[in-house]
Amino acid sequence: MTQQTIPVIAIDGPSASGKGTVAALVARELGFHYLDSGAIYRVTAYAAQQGGVALEDEPGLVELAHKIALRFDGVEVYLNGAAIGNVIRSEEAGRAASQIAALPALRAALLERQRAFRQAPGLVTDGRDMGSVVFPDATVKIFLTASAEERAQRRYKQLIEKDFDASLAALLQDLRERDARDAARSSAPLRQSADAALLDTTNLTIAQAVARVLQWFREAKA
Ligand code: DC
């Protein structure tokens, strides 16, 4: 199998849409690899903060992106060999990730790192530009979303489960700001591309969303 023939399911969408949960379950069901591309932006921002690199310092961030060693093992992320736990899952870490994700040179520096996850028997990945930029030849491209209110509820539950403090009103405001920034940037903005199927999960259970993705994948392969 050459890398180009390895199937990819690309799931893009806004923050807290549930795309990560759906993508991970689809990967498990198919026995495919899973890439949470948002975690790459989150870890890079975290590494910058740890290493004293300013979040506006594009050349500094690019250098850092080439230098850091990153490894995923289930939900755990290792930065330069050390497990970093939940620190990258906070709202602050999400905001920092969104800020550096607007820098085109940094996005370019992270491209090959993301493409390296395309390995047999297949890859399920989630992010903002998986179908449009990173894997333009993906087998299935999905734009997974839900209403802002529903997403704020989902994020709230997720944070409380991880023992983070959270306020629903603050989360809703933060989500709206993050969506606006991710959609307004000139480099790979958040938007449904013409060749991506829309999956609105506002009124779907996780199992229903997973089943829909699996069905589209089977149809695309047939
Ligand atoms: O999916 P997430 O919330 O973990 O992503 C964190 C931030 O990273 C998000 O606000 C935008 C950015 N991001 C991106 O620009 N491109 C991706 N493929 C994934 C995430």
Side-chain angles (χ1 to χ4, degrees):
M1 229 184 218
T2 68
Q3 227 201 2
Q4 252 29 54
T5 61
I6 296 171
V8 175
I9 300 179
I11 305 180
D12 290 306
S15 291
S17 55
K19 60 189 189 311
T21 306
V22 171
L25 287 170
V26 169
R28 198 167 72 184
E29 187 67 30
L30 294 169
F32 282 11
H33 300 278
Y34 167 56
L35 167 64
D36 167 5
S37 66
I40 294 186
Y41 288 92
R42 286 171 183 261
V43 180
T44 306
Y46 172 74
Q49 287 165 330
Q50 294 293 305
V53 177
L55 299 181
E56 302 78 29
D57 176 3
E58 197 164 8
L61 289 167
V62 167
E63 196 188 325
L64 186 76
H66 287 304
K67 221 168 50 187
I68 54 177
L70 258 184
R71 190 166 65 78
F72 292 89
D73 187 2
V75 288
E76 189 53 85
V77 184
Y78 295 80
L79 170 63
N80 298 326
I84 55 176
N86 273 337
V87 281
I88 59 159
R89 299 295 166 194
S90 69
E91 283 305 289
E92 293 72 31
R95 261 198 302 275
S98 168
Q99 190 180 335
I100 66 166
L103 304 171
L106 177 72
R107 301 195 71 84
L110 293 175
L111 258 185
E112 287 317 311
R113 201 183 266 276
Q114 296 173 79
R115 288 185 176 145
F117 283 85
R118 186 175 198 167
Q119 286 184 14
L123 174 69
V124 186
T125 181
D126 76 273
R128 304 293 184 291
D129 61 344
M130 295 300 99
S132 53
V133 177
V134 184
F135 302 106
D137 63 340
T139 322
V140 183
K141 299 181 187 181
I142 294 164
F143 190 78
L144 192 155
T145 188
S147 70
E149 291 74 15
E150 177 65 24
R151 290 188 285 123
Q153 287 278 1
R154 289 177 187 173
R155 177 54 57 89
Y156 180 76
K157 242 182 88 192
Q158 212 177 42
L159 289 171
I160 296 295
E161 276 164 12
K162 289 191 174 126
D163 286 335
F164 284 113
D165 275 341
S167 131
L168 197 56
L171 279 173
L172 184 57
Q173 159 121 4
D174 197 56
L175 273 182
R176 291 199 161 119
E177 280 169 13
R178 192 122 69 89
D179 285 355
R181 182 168 49 225
D182 291 346
R185 70 180 181 221
S186 55
S187 180
L190 167 72
R191 79 171 55 115
Q192 182 187 354
S193 50
D195 55 356
L198 178 66
L199 183 52
D200 185 335
T201 64
T202 308
N203 298 306
L204 294 186
T205 63
I206 292 170
Q208 287 170 325
V210 169
R212 196 73 60 85
V213 175
L214 288 170
Q215 183 197 337
W216 283 338
F217 177 62
R218 290 194 186 104
E219 286 168 6
K221 271 199 328 177

